[in-house]
Amino acid sequence: MVTNSQHISQQFEKELQDVRSRVLAMGGLLEQQVSNALEALMTGNTELARLAIDTDKEVNSLEMSIDEECIQIIALRQPTAGDLRLVTGILKTITDLERIGDEATSIARMALNLSEKDRPKKNYRELQSLGNHVCTMLRDALDAFARFDVDQAVKVASEDQYIDEEYESIVRQLITYMMEDPRAISRVIDMIWSARSLERIADHAHNVCKHIIYLVEGKDVRHLSIEKMEKILNRPR
């Protein structure tokens, strides 16, 4: 015989699983949005760019509904300890995911701008490597969330410093282009903004990894360097 308290517990567990699944659905949608925006940037495909822009509405809607569901769980279930950490960790995670959608939208808008301009001989390959690196980091961060894998979260978070270095190198290169050919200034500025949005996506993926560490380990590592974080978690390189 199932008691009332067991029924409530099972229902609560179902609600937690549902909200976690919806975060993963939001992450999958974002992966596609970022991929479409990057492809539009590389190829000048305006249809993909507009698709990426339109996807942002769906991302925003998911964020709002997940946020509302989490607030309902806190208000009605009054979760404690690990369950409360899970819900608050999810709230933090979806904020960063929504901002990834904003940056993907910015890239898609830059892709539309660039589609109206002459394409350079290198065809924006400066951004291709950075974009691929960022997409991989986002995918791996979402995978770590799906499995609540702290070791992978730490590993993925450490990738952010390499993306920062790659971004800085690209900006220096693009500034050199502007100095050599003032006619390219408008195009290069759009490229710099696109690179900046890619770097910011990596920052948010980095934050997602730190949220995973919080909800699994209960340790707030938001403002710690990778080295200090690894030391606290006893995970040396």
Side-chain angles (χ1 to χ4, degrees), residues 154-167:
V154 172
K155 181 181 177 183
V156 176
S158 68
E159 288 294 309
D160 190 47
Q161 60 187 323
Y162 302 112
I163 287 178
D164 287 345
E165 292 168 4
E166 194 172 353
Y167 163 71

Side-chain angles (χ1 to χ4, degrees), residues 133-170:
H133 199 171
V134 168
C135 286
T136 298
M137 185 177 176
L138 175 59
R139 183 186 66 240
D140 290 346
L142 292 169
D143 182 61
F145 180 88
R147 295 185 289 110
F148 285 172
D149 188 332
V150 171
D151 288 329
Q152 180 165 330
V154 172
K155 181 181 177 183
V156 176
S158 68
E159 288 294 309
D160 190 47
Q161 60 187 323
Y162 302 112
I163 287 178
D164 287 345
E165 292 168 4
E166 194 172 353
Y167 163 71
E168 289 167 7
S169 175
I170 287 171

Side-chain angles (χ1 to χ4, degrees), residues 137-229:
M137 185 177 176
L138 175 59
R139 183 186 66 240
D140 290 346
L142 292 169
D143 182 61
F145 180 88
R147 295 185 289 110
F148 285 172
D149 188 332
V150 171
D151 288 329
Q152 180 165 330
V154 172
K155 181 181 177 183
V156 176
S158 68
E159 288 294 309
D160 190 47
Q161 60 187 323
Y162 302 112
I163 287 178
D164 287 345
E165 292 168 4
E166 194 172 353
Y167 163 71
E168 289 167 7
S169 175
I170 287 171
V171 170
R172 287 194 296 270
Q173 188 177 358
L174 292 175
I175 289 173
T176 300
Y177 289 166
M178 284 195 292
M179 294 172 64
E180 292 175 348
D181 184 5
R183 294 171 300 177
I185 288 176
S186 176
R187 183 180 72 231
V188 172
I189 287 174
D190 285 343
M191 292 172 69
I192 289 174
W193 280 117
S194 298
R196 179 59 174 153
S197 285
L198 287 169
E199 189 270 337
R200 283 176 174 167
I201 289 172
D203 286 344
H204 292 301
H206 173 92
N207 290 344
V208 168
C209 291
K210 290 191 170 183
H211 299 327
I212 294 166
I213 293 165
Y214 167 72
L215 63 88
V216 174
E217 298 283 348
K219 295 176 180 177
D220 191 342
V221 297
R222 282 177 295 176
H223 304 297
L224 298 182
S225 66
I226 292 296
E227 291 75 16
K228 288 182 179 178
M229 186 171 70

Side-chain angles (χ1 to χ4, degrees), residues 2-192:
V2 178
T3 66
N4 188 51
S5 62
Q6 287 175 318
H7 176 75
I8 292 172
S9 177
Q10 290 171 359
Q11 181 64 26
F12 181 34
E13 188 62 34
K14 182 178 179 297
E15 290 170 1
L16 291 176
Q17 273 302 120
D18 178 67
V19 76
R20 184 177 169 186
S21 296
R22 294 182 71 203
V23 174
L24 292 174
M26 183 179 178
L29 190 64
L30 279 166
E31 277 193 83
Q32 191 60 58
Q33 184 189 16
V34 173
S35 177
N36 286 343
L38 183 60
E39 182 69 16
L41 188 67
M42 295 298 107
T43 64
N45 187 323
T46 57
E47 186 176 337
L48 272 180
R50 292 191 179 93
L51 178 60
I53 292 168
D54 289 343
T55 300
D56 197 47
K57 297 173 186 175
E58 193 173 348
V59 170
N60 291 342
S61 178
L62 261 174
E63 188 227 2
M64 290 173 65
S65 63
I66 294 169
D67 185 271
E68 183 176 349
E69 189 172 354
C70 286
I71 290 171
Q72 287 279 347
I73 288 173
I74 292 172
L76 299 177
R77 302 298 184 188
Q78 298 182 348
T80 59
D83 289 334
L84 179 59
R85 217 164 52 229
L86 171 61
V87 176
T88 55
I90 284 174
L91 284 169
K92 294 173 189 292
T93 297
I94 61 172
T95 297
D96 277 293
L97 292 181
E98 189 275 332
R99 288 172 182 167
I100 287 173
D102 290 343
E103 297 299 341
T105 300
S106 294
I107 293 169
R109 294 191 192 283
M110 291 302 104
L112 289 176
N113 289 346
L114 289 167
S115 70
E116 299 173 354
K117 299 168 184 174
D118 293 335
R119 300 187 72 79
K121 291 179 181 179
K122 292 185 178 180
N123 202 31
Y124 306 126
R125 72 179 181 213
E126 301 91 345
L127 300 177
Q128 183 73 68
S129 175
L130 176 63
N132 290 342
H133 199 171
V134 168
C135 286
T136 298
M137 185 177 176
L138 175 59
R139 183 186 66 240
D140 290 346
L142 292 169
D143 182 61
F145 180 88
R147 295 185 289 110
F148 285 172
D149 188 332
V150 171
D151 288 329
Q152 180 165 330
V154 172
K155 181 181 177 183
V156 176
S158 68
E159 288 294 309
D160 190 47
Q161 60 187 323
Y162 302 112
I163 287 178
D164 287 345
E165 292 168 4
E166 194 172 353
Y167 163 71
E168 289 167 7
S169 175
I170 287 171
V171 170
R172 287 194 296 270
Q173 188 177 358
L174 292 175
I175 289 173
T176 300
Y177 289 166
M178 284 195 292
M179 294 172 64
E180 292 175 348
D181 184 5
R183 294 171 300 177
I185 288 176
S186 176
R187 183 180 72 231
V188 172
I189 287 174
D190 285 343
M191 292 172 69
I192 289 174

